C-alpha cells in the first residue's frame, strides 16, 4: 500500500531538519575556540585579582608570564617534630595536658609516654601524634 501525501511531507521535513542540524554542528566545530593553548592568549590581572584578556586602564600594566603562575595549593612547610610546652594538668591516675608554647593548644598525654618523671608546671619537650580522639604527646622529656 502506498504512503499518504502527509506521510511523505513529514518524511521530507524530517530529512530537511536532519540536514540543517548537521550543517549547524559543522559550523560549531569550525568556529570552536575550545582547546586553544595559553600561549595564544595574553592574560592580565585586574584590580580584583581576576584573570582577564583586556588590559586594565592604568598605565602600569604588566603581562603575566605563564612560568610565574603557581597552580594548586601552596606547598606545606614542614614543622619541627619536637615541640615544647608546660604541663598544666597532671592527674593521680597518670594522665594530663601540656599547653604547647607556639599555638597555646592543649595536648593530652599519659604517663606511659613519659621518659622522665613529670609534675605539674614542668617545662617539657614532646612529639605530637594523632590519636583517635585528637592529638596526644609522646616521648615527653623535661627541659632542664
Amino acid at each position: 500500500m502506498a504512503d499518504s501525501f502527509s506521510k511523505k511531507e513529514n518524511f521530507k521535513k524530517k530529512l530537511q531538519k536532519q540536514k540543517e542540524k548537521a550543517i549547524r554542528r559543522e559550523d560549531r566545530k569550525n568556529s570552536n575556540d575550545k582547546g586553544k593553548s595559553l600561549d595564544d592568549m595574553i592574560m592580565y590581572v585586574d584590580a580584583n585579582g581576576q584573570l582577564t584578556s583586556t588590559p586594565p586602564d592604568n598605565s602600569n600594566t604588566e603581562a603575566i608570564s605563564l612560568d610565574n603562575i603557581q597552580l594548586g595549593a601552596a606547598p606545606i612547610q614542614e614543622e619541627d617534630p619536637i615541640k615544647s610546652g608546660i604541663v598544666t594538668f597532671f592527674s593521680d591516675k597518670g594522665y594530663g595536658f601540656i599547653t604547647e608554647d607556639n599555638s597555646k593548644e592543649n595536648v593530652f598525654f599519659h604517663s606511659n609516654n613519659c621518659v622522665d618523671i613529670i609534675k605539674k608546671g614542668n617545662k617539657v619537650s614532646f612529639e605530637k601524634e594523632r590519636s583517635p580522639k585528637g592529638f596526644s604527646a609522646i616521648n615527653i622529656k623535661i627541659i632542664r
Side-chain angles (χ1 to χ4, degrees):
M1 193 172 210
D3 289 335
S4 66
F5 177 77
S6 63
K7 281 188 178 182
K8 289 180 185 177
E9 287 298 313
N10 288 340
F11 184 70
K12 287 180 187 177
K13 287 180 185 178
K14 187 176 182 180
L15 285 177
Q16 183 64 27
K17 283 185 180 182
Q18 287 176 351
K19 287 179 186 176
E20 290 173 0
K21 188 174 182 180
I23 291 170
R24 286 195 307 267
R25 186 182 309 126
E26 286 299 319
D27 287 343
R28 280 196 309 268
K29 281 184 183 178
N30 293 336
S31 65
N32 188 359
D33 290 339
K34 291 183 181 176
K36 285 187 177 178
S37 69
L38 289 176
D39 297 331
D40 299 338
M41 296 185 240
I42 297 175
M43 300 301 287
Y44 299 95
V45 177
D46 65 3
N48 299 324
Q50 302 293 322
L51 289 178
T52 178
S53 59
T54 58
D57 295 335
N58 55 7
S59 61
N60 57 359
T61 60
E62 188 176 314
I64 296 175
S65 171
L66 295 179
D67 298 332
N68 295 338
I69 298 174
Q70 178 185 354
L71 298 177
I76 298 173
Q77 295 178 353
E78 193 159 330
E79 299 178 4
D80 185 23
I82 298 175
K83 314 273 188 205
S84 63
I86 297 175
V87 178
T88 54
F89 177 78
F90 188 66
S91 171
D92 296 335
K93 296 181 181 178
Y95 67 89
F97 291 95
I98 300 172
T99 301
E100 195 175 334
D101 286 340
N102 295 338
S103 65
K104 303 299 181 202
E105 180 180 333
N106 285 334
V107 182
F108 174 82
F109 75 94
H110 194 272
S111 60
N112 293 346
N113 296 327
C114 298
V115 177
D116 303 325
I117 297 173
I118 304 290
K119 295 179 184 174
K120 182 179 176 181
N122 285 4
K123 179 109 171 131
V124 294
S125 67
F126 62 94
E127 295 178 28
K128 278 172 74 170
E129 175 183 65
R130 183 169 290 283
S131 66
K133 294 184 178 181
F135 284 107
S136 63
I138 58 171
N139 298 334
I140 304 164
K141 300 174 188 172
I142 294 178
I143 299 176
R144 300 189 196 280

